Amino acid sequence: MSARRTLRGDRAARLVRRALLLASTLLVLSLAATALARPGGGQSFSGGGSSSSGGGDGGADLVIALVVLAFEHPTIGVPLLFIVGGILIFQKLKERRQKDWSSGGDPGVAAPPTRAPSFDTLRTADPGFSRVVFEDFVYGLYAEVARTRGLPGAPLDRMSAYLSAEAMTTLRALPAGPVESVIIGAMTPVAVEVGPSGSRVTLNVEANYTEAGKGVYAVERWTLARGPGARSRTPDRVGMLGCPSCGAPVEALFGGQCSYCRQQVNSGAFDWLVQHIQVLSRENRGPMLTTNVAERGNDAPTIYDPGLREALQALQAKDPSFDVGAAQTRVGVIFEQFQRAWTARELAPMRPFMSDPLFATQAYWVSAYLAQHLRNLTERARIMRLELVKVSSDPYFDAITFRLFATGLDYTVDDDGRVVSGSRTKERAYTEYWTLIRGTNRKGPPRSDLVCPNCGAPLAVSMAGHCGYCQAKITSGDFDWVLSRIEQDEVYAG
């Protein structure tokens, strides 16, 4: 009898241990948000990662173990059965809430108190200021500065027209070695100031690059300033980083002075000068494509621009053919082509619909998946709802921003087809803010057909964004709406 009691006791102990292990696992899964890896930065620029299925067969195994335990040892099994039953019910209710797409924000709901600083104030001193052009300039400047500091010798002198002595000191303190594959994942405005002495913009820049062959993830705070007489670049000059006074090549610059025009050009009198760089975080690692990253912001209220109605009316007055429904259809076309290209790890289908900086970011991620012999699949991806949240205009571009509610399968496989993260069967829901831009002089309804918006030929676009037939650069926004920014819920502030 004692031997049988010992065996029954051992069995009970094993059942209790198994039940507690499964219960704790289920509790963690029920409290944690599932992770994601999807086109547009949903893989979380800082951590990479792909979706986690959550749940699985663990719930069924747990129930079976607890039922057996409840019959054999009711004093232990019954309480555990009640506790785990509550956890299972909580998890199911949570999943149901995440799939409920009818509870979105109301256009009448005001934006939350925390809002991004407005770039509009810069146009009071400089009517030609364009946020799109400015961000393209900073993107190019950051990448060029990073690559230049990795060259042998004293290379930062050639960038001295755009860097203060303090900023160069910070950069020189960073580890030495060649810097390549610079990709900015997020550029978040922190402060925008305009005063008698000029303008100042502070940005948090989140970037990945390789340094001496090692992957680096960095977050830096850049403060750029310029004098009251400086004027913004035009779109055709955004990539020119020579002398801001005469246009001489960077080789003519030394110590902030141009050897051609003899001007001291690092004062901010001619163009934006990086006054200060603060390294907020820096880690030696590359993109982690199978790490789980929590989904955040699905249930957050939609952020509507307070001037949305008036800005939309102004856009429609300028272009009576503009229709929100047609713009939504355009977003749907871009979304479909984007998902298809991402899953296939092919860049060509997404190229016609993206601005240069955004395409560079997506190309980086596709290359990272290829290098690690992985593929992120977003099957059955579909938009559930689109909400227009902002319309804005500057001298060169009109911009429209939608909050996109979408769902679909999201999982990552290796080259042998094995799932390394995510679920082939459980869909995940997510929301993002998509901003599209179009040249201010362009009019006409947004197109939804897959043809060149300039010549009407079938879409065949080079990696530089030029039509293979008429050679027009159709990714600049000069012909139709192109996707310029994708922002996650936890980042977007209006």
Side-chain angles (χ1 to χ4, degrees), residues 146-147 149-151 174-179 210-213:
R147 286 190 290 263
R149 72 172 176 81
L151 298 174
L174 295 175
V179 177
T210 58
E211 182 180 75

Side-chain angles (χ1 to χ4, degrees), residues 99 216 298:
K99 293 179 181 178
V216 174
N298 276 14

Side-chain angles (χ1 to χ4, degrees), residues 3 10 56 93 127 134 225 287 307 316 335 350 382 387 391 470 473:
D10 290 344
L93 289 174
F134 172 75
Q316 291 173 327
F335 180 86
M350 70 173 77
R382 59 200 184 276
E387 297 177 357
V391 175
C470 66
K473 186 172 177 62

Side-chain angles (χ1 to χ4, degrees), residues 391-416:
V391 175
S392 61
S393 296
D394 64 41
Y396 306 107
F397 296 99
D398 294 320
I400 51 177
T401 302
F402 290 94
R403 190 183 189 191
L404 178 147
F405 295 76
T407 189
L409 297 176
D410 182 359
Y411 62 96
T412 300
V413 299
D414 60 20
D415 282 349
D416 294 324

Side-chain angles (χ1 to χ4, degrees), residues 469-490:
Y469 295 90
C470 66
Q471 300 305 312
K473 186 172 177 62
I474 65 173
T475 59
S476 63
D478 289 336
F479 300 98
D480 205 345
W481 297 95
V482 296
L483 187 59
S484 175
R485 289 197 305 275
I486 297 177
E487 296 166 279
Q488 306 305 307
D489 298 88
E490 66 269 22

